[in-house]
Amino acid sequence: MSSPTVTVIVPGRDVGAFVDEALASLRAQTRSDFRAILVDDASRDRTAEAFAATAAADPRFRLVRHEVARGLGASRNEALELVDTPLVGFFDADDVMTPRALEILVGSLEASGSEVAVGAYVRLRADAAGHYAPGVVQPWVAASTSPARRGTSLAEHPDVSGNIVAWSKVSRLDLWRREGLRFTEDKAYEDQVVAQQLYSAAHGIDVIPDVVVHWRERADGTSITQRRHAVPVLQDYLDGMSGGLAVLDAAGRTAAARSRVRLILGMDVPALVRVAEHHPDDTYRKLLGAFTRGLTERAERDGIPLDEDSAALRAAALAW
């Protein structure tokens, strides 16, 4: 086997219904010169068994086991300390990696010399019978990754800042080491801040319109993004978006910050308003209202054009 080029960090906790498909998609990559670090975050189902069996059967896989759950951020950070390949990527153990994902992302960085490669993704949703099928590339994902660019930057392509997920990227380990980058721990939406740190510090960003991951929206509603009705999860969500904006502001990435403000007010806030309208806890509405007012004032001050289609929903949040 050739010397590995990229390490894929795969945290998982209680994803037994999906882990086999996820690991099979990684093992089936057309580019095989990878290592994988599987972090079992104190699973109580068969996730631990599936991780262990894969590590025993395939020498490219290494298993790390937690006796007490530490969360996605801490799991990824621990695995980062073990990486010794030039490139690193992330993959969640309930998703599906498309067959050429590593070939596309790693190959782009090898050709361009950039420090981050970002691919597109689609949601994987269940139908009435419980069968999962991938959807289409959503507009905000397309805006961040299309058309293809090599060696771009936040100044040249500010909309890439809208791609905040950890698992649609491959990046150079030197970038993580040089900037001392780590995921937020003990919070949901732990990838929002580090995504903007990567973009702000990178010497070259490749954006690729090819779909590299099918992101599963679980039919049982247990995904983090499906638990936004919980007040603590909402707070983490708002903190993640605010923290990402603070990174862009501190780095002087004005165009990217404007892009994020417009996207958050046009996409994230309206979706949260729909939850808040029927929420039993007024705290939820107050948190969302304060966040929306602050961001709307910024948009008005900076002359950021906002999506008119979502104006009514934003207005509802402003009143809370």
Side-chain angles (χ1 to χ4, degrees):
M1 184 172 62
S2 60
S3 180
T5 303
V6 59
T7 297
V8 181
I9 293 172
V10 189
R13 183 170 193 264
D14 295 341
V15 289
F18 316 113
V19 65
D20 291 335
E21 184 179 12
L23 293 177
S25 73
L26 181 52
R27 295 183 72 180
Q29 287 296 296
T30 55
R31 178 140 188 171
S32 61
D33 59 335
F34 68 85
R35 287 178 180 156
I37 300 175
L38 309 178
V39 186
D40 171 31
D41 194 29
S43 293
R44 299 159 297 182
D45 67 359
R46 62 175 300 275
T47 302
E49 176 187 339
F51 274 8
T54 298
D58 192 325
R60 297 173 296 179
F61 288 75
R62 173 179 180 177
L63 176 63
V64 174
R65 164 76 179 165
H66 293 166
E67 295 302 325
V68 177
R70 296 177 57 194
L72 272 175
S75 296
R76 289 173 178 153
N77 289 339
E78 179 183 10
L80 270 168
E81 296 299 322
L82 305 176
V83 176
D84 60 3
T85 54
L87 305 177
V88 63
F90 302 90
F91 177 52
D92 286 354
D94 58 347
D95 293 338
V96 177
M97 192 178 291
T98 58
R100 296 183 59 238
L102 291 182
E103 176 188 339
I104 291 167
L105 294 170
V106 173
S108 183
L109 292 181
E110 288 177 333
S112 68
S114 295
E115 291 194 302
V116 180
V118 187
Y121 58 89
V122 297
R123 289 182 185 268
L124 193 61
R125 285 180 167 141
D127 61 18
H131 300 127
Y132 285 90
V136 299
V137 177
Q138 293 297 311
W140 74 91
V141 179
S144 70
T145 56
S146 182
R149 297 172 173 89
R150 282 185 173 171
T152 191
S153 67
L154 276 177
E156 296 167 335
H157 181 41
D159 286 350
V160 73
S161 63
N163 189 317
I164 50 80
V165 295
W167 31 258
S168 67
K169 306 173 182 66
V170 166
S171 49
R172 295 195 183 274
L173 184 65
D174 284 350
L175 172 58
W176 290 82
R177 299 282 192 258
R178 184 180 78 231
E179 300 295 328
L181 301 181
R182 291 294 181 270
F183 288 90
T184 303
E185 298 189 12
D186 301 320
K187 282 180 172 286
Y189 300 94
E190 71 294 326
D191 41 9
Q192 292 251 3
V193 171
V194 78
Q196 308 306 346
Q197 291 172 328
L198 280 169
Y199 295 143
S200 295
H203 301 318
I205 302 168
D206 295 352
V207 297
I208 302 163
D210 302 70
V211 172
V212 295
V213 170
H214 295 171
W215 167 35
R216 191 181 305 274
E217 187 172 280
R218 300 182 202 169
D220 62 4
T222 57
S223 301
I224 287 292
T225 52
Q226 295 167 272
R227 301 208 305 269
R228 290 178 295 185
H229 62 279
V231 171
V233 175
L234 172 68
Q235 185 66 72
D236 287 352
Y237 192 4
L238 302 181
D239 288 348
M241 291 187 288
S242 297
L245 276 171
V247 169
L248 297 173
D249 289 340
R253 306 295 183 174
T254 304
R258 289 173 60 89
S259 177
R260 281 299 286 148
V261 168
R262 188 172 191 274
L263 183 60
I264 290 168
L265 287 173
M267 182 188 71
D268 297 276
V269 165
L272 293 170
V273 169
R274 293 187 181 97
V275 176
E277 285 175 327
H278 308 288
H279 202 282
D281 190 344
D282 196 47
T283 302
Y284 195 102
R285 282 177 287 278
K286 289 179 178 179
L287 285 171
L288 182 57
F291 175 81
T292 305
R293 284 191 294 276
L295 219 55
T296 301
E297 289 169 5
R298 174 172 178 160
E300 291 173 349
R301 181 189 71 228
D302 296 343
I304 300 172
L306 300 180
D307 176 23
E308 288 302 319
D309 291 341
S310 57
L313 290 170
R314 289 197 305 274
L318 292 173
W320 291 328

